[in-house]
């Protein structure tokens, strides 16, 4: 809660000469047109799980951030441990170049990440860390590394990737090239995106059987066999495809991917940028299956949402091969690589994760989401409700009216950012049971208010369950 002006959902003030209008005149927002009509709210303050928003009409709303600022703010806003880490590092130095220099925050962070990374008996986990500025950049680095690895192993023709329909891996070019070729951005950049190979989406977790998983794996295996001479790696979001549709699939599929990759000399890349650090109920989504990737990307929650930072981790075998290859180095090195401020906050964030409390938090939030969202299934407009870990999804039959649902949810004290036909949430781990109740009630109410009247004309053909 906000101590002073935050109490109470709405307060009318004289409208200041519009920050929102000034924004609209000068700024781009994610996946948005440069438009005078862009719906926007100003964030005036943030604390714990709550944001204080101010609308264009001057009205203030205190809302729970049901999005954790896109999966990142897992420990809440103005977390005292993260604040202290940032302040201490500011007092030391906030940035130095990473070429030829090093510092304690980066070294400690690399050691922490390696200690956490998936590993299995006889299969050492990732041991070498490249610190990148954002999730997309870490994916770029992972893809480069895979190609360099194959070249170093004497297979320079292996320059393509096997990825999944429904996948999302970021907005930079190589990352876009492994996103879903239809729903991603391939069609906007036909001359620039490399032709990669796409396997179907794995079967949905809620309805999959060992047989459907095997049938899917057989298709993947066929594609891998047909293209192995030109493939460097398989790239997937393990267990949960996020921005491509919030699609949860069985963990057994990861073991099948591991087998296919090994059979054809492909590296296995897990993009854990959204799923990492507990979100799906295990520390990494790979841990649901005990599968160890050769390369792994993390980001988003890495700094608890304080600063932009991501990391690409790879096995010692991959690192050694690339370092001994013709180039003699991994060919990437951004200006803000290993930014000390971001690394210091990441260390504080991972320090909280290391206490292990996240497991009970994610379980509590997940139970609250499953319970609270179940009633959405009674709505005609709703096709399916699903949860995994601390992620909850209401899938509608039709595209969400994003503006109307967002505004309705705000009236119910909840910030959501729907897309396509999905109204979804991944609350901060520090959300209480009451917070989760408010989130789910707000989501269900917003869908009911905006979409139920429109849905009454349709005959429901609902399939689905809370899983
Ligand atoms: N990979 C996955 C699975 C993601 O969900 C995202 C972002 O949503 C990215 C990569 C890209 O990360 P960033 O937005 O930090 O570049």
């Amino acid at each position: 809660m906000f101590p002073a002006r935050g109490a109470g959902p709405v307060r009318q003030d004289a409208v200041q000469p519009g920050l929102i209008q000034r924004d609209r005149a000068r700024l781009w927002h994610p996946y948005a047109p440069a438009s005078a009509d862009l719906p926007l709210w100003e964030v005036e303050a943030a604390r714990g799980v709550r944001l204080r928003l101010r609308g264009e009409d001057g009205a203030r709303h205190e809302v729970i951030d049901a999005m954790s600022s896109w999966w990142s703010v897992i420990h809440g806003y103005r977390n005292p441990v993260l604040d202290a880490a940032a302040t201490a590092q500011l007092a030391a130095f906030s940035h130095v170049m990473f070429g030829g220099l090093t510092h304690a925050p980066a070294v400690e962070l690399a050691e922490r990440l390696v200690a956490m990374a998936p590993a299995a008996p006889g299969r050492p986990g990732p041991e070498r860390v490249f610190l990148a500025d954002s999730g997309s950049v870490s994916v770029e680095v992972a893809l480069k590394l895979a190609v360099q690895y194959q070249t170093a192993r004497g297979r320079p023709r292996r320059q393509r990737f096997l990825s999944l329909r429904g996948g999302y891996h970021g907005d930079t070019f190589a990352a876009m090239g492994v996103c879903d070729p239809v729903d991603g951005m391939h069609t906007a950049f036909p001359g620039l995106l490399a032709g990669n190979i796409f396997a179907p989406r794995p079967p949905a977790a809620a309805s999959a059987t060992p047989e459907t998983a095997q049938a899917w794996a057989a298709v993947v295996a066929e594609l891998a066999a047909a293209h192995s001479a030109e493939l460097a790696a398989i790239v997937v979001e393990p267990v949960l495809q996020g921005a491509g549709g919030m699609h949860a699939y069985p963990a057994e599929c990861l073991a099948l991917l591991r087998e296919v990759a090994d059979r054809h000399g492909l590296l296995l890349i897990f993009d854990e940028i959204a799923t990492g650090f507990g979100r799906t109920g295990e520390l990494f989504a790979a841990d649901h299956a005990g599968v160890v990737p050769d390369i792994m990307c993390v980001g988003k929650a890495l700094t608890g949402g304080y600063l932009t930072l991501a990391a690409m981790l790879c096995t010692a075998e991959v690192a050694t091969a690339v370092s001994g290859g013709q180039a003699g180095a991994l060919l990437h090195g951004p200006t803000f690589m290993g930014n000390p401020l971001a690394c210091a906050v990441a260390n504080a964030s991972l320090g909280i994760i290391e206490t292990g409390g996240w497991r009970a938090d994610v379980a509590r939030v997940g139970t609250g989401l499953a319970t609270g969202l179940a009633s959405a299934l009674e709505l005609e407009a709703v096709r399916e409700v699903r949860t995994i870990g601390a992620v909850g999804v209401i899938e509608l039959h039709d595209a969400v009216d994003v503006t109307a649902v967002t505004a309705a949810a705000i009236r119910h004290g909840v910030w959501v950012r729907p897309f396509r036909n999905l109204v979804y949430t991944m609350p901060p781990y520090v959300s209480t049971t009451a917070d989760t109740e408010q989130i789910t009630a707000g989501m269900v109410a917003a869908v009911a208010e905006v979409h139920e009247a429109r849905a009454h004309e349709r005959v429901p053909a609902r399939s689905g369950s809370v899983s």
Side-chain angles (χ1 to χ4, degrees):
M1 300 284 171
F2 299 102
R5 50 191 355 195
V10 177
R11 199 183 98 168
Q12 300 286 344
D13 269 4
V15 182
Q16 283 183 1
L19 188 84
I20 291 175
Q21 285 90 333
R22 283 162 54 205
D23 174 301
R24 288 190 184 124
R26 293 285 175 252
L27 282 165
W28 290 105
H29 281 262
Y31 291 98
S35 159
D37 298 326
L38 195 65
L40 285 174
W41 281 265
E42 176 188 348
V43 178
E44 288 190 328
R47 184 185 284 274
V49 300
R50 288 180 166 73
L51 304 173
R52 189 173 69 225
L53 305 183
R54 181 187 168 98
E56 207 168 349
D57 56 1
R60 292 202 169 85
H61 304 265
E62 187 177 303
V63 294
I64 298 180
D65 179 7
M67 307 303 293
S68 297
S69 271
W70 274 336
W71 314 77
S72 65
V73 183
I74 54 175
H75 308 303
Y77 295 96
R78 299 204 51 197
N79 181 289
V81 176
L82 273 57
D83 278 4
T87 308
Q89 187 59 40
L90 269 176
F93 51 96
S94 21
H95 184 63
V96 288
M97 63 186 282
F98 210 51
L101 299 176
T102 193
H103 46 79
V107 176
E108 281 165 22
L109 179 57
E111 289 171 350
R112 279 199 147 97
L113 286 170
V114 168
M116 287 180 166
R123 184 131 211 165
E127 289 178 17
R128 179 70 61 165
V129 180
F130 187 101
L131 296 167
D133 348 28
S134 71
S136 302
V137 172
S138 73
V139 171
E140 296 284 323
V141 175
L143 300 180
K144 268 189 187 177
L145 183 69
V147 168
Q148 284 197 242
Y149 170 82
Q150 298 293 0
T151 304
R153 284 266 178 261
R155 303 183 285 228
R157 284 187 55 225
R158 289 181 169 236
Q159 305 251 335
R160 299 172 84 191
F161 299 95
L162 178 60
S163 179
L164 301 183
R165 290 295 310 268
Y168 176 77
H169 299 283
D171 291 352
T172 49
F173 273 103
M176 278 197 288
V178 288
C179 293
D180 185 285
V182 175
D183 292 334
M185 289 160 280
H186 287 232
T187 47
F189 307 100
L192 289 166
L193 291 183
N196 290 313
I197 310 297
F198 292 90
R201 254 188 207 289
S207 55
T209 61
E211 291 73 34
T212 55
Q214 285 290 349
W216 170 81
V219 178
V220 178
E222 253 172 56
L223 285 170
H227 296 278
S228 61
E230 49 185 356
L231 286 175
I234 298 176
V235 189
V236 300
E237 296 156 90
V239 171
L240 177 67
Q241 294 184 306
M246 306 299 290
H247 176 79
Y249 63 89
E252 298 75 61
C253 294
L254 303 181
L256 299 168
L257 287 171
R258 182 70 270 179
E259 273 172 42
V260 171
D262 288 345
R263 202 179 318 145
H264 296 288
L266 309 180
L267 295 179
L268 183 60
I269 303 177
F270 282 170
D271 176 347
E272 294 256 12
I273 289 164
T275 50
F277 309 115
R279 180 54 75 179
T280 66
E282 291 291 343
L283 188 54
F284 294 101
D287 297 332
H288 286 284
V291 170
V292 180
D294 303 295
I295 299 178
M296 178 169 111
C297 296
V298 294
K300 287 188 180 284
L302 177 59
T303 64
Y306 269 47
L307 287 152
T308 178
L309 184 70
M312 185 280 303
L313 286 74
C314 70
T315 58
E317 197 245 323
V318 171
T320 305
V322 168
S323 304
Q326 205 186 7
L330 168 55
L331 299 174
H332 208 91
T335 304
F336 288 99
M337 183 168 178
N339 174 258
L341 196 50
C343 290
V345 180
N347 279 315
S349 177
L350 297 193
I352 296 174
I353 292 286
E354 281 163 3
T355 65
W358 64 269
R359 202 175 274 282
D361 289 343
V362 168
R364 181 189 64 250
V365 172
T367 302
L369 294 180
T371 308
L373 294 180
S375 65
L377 276 173
E378 289 155 25
L379 301 174
E380 302 278 311
V382 173
R383 195 160 83 88
E384 186 175 298
V385 170
R386 50 185 181 268
T387 63
I388 175 173
V391 180
V393 185
I394 302 176
E395 181 174 329
L396 308 191
H397 291 287
D398 301 316
V400 180
D401 181 336
V402 174
T403 304
V405 168
T406 304
I410 288 175
R411 287 196 296 278
H412 289 280
V414 180
W415 172 250
V416 286
R417 187 78 179 150
F419 71 106
R420 294 192 203 160
N421 61 338
L422 304 170
V423 183
Y424 69 111
T425 176
M426 68 297 266
Y429 298 172
V430 291
S431 303
T432 63
T433 301
D435 295 334
T436 315
E437 279 169 13
Q438 184 173 331
I439 290 170
T440 54
M443 288 169 66
V444 176
V447 170
E449 286 168 23
V450 175
H451 283 278
E452 205 49 1
R454 302 176 195 182
H456 278 315
E457 280 128 50
R458 74 161 43 246
V459 180
R462 190 175 309 132
S463 70
S465 60
V466 178
S467 57

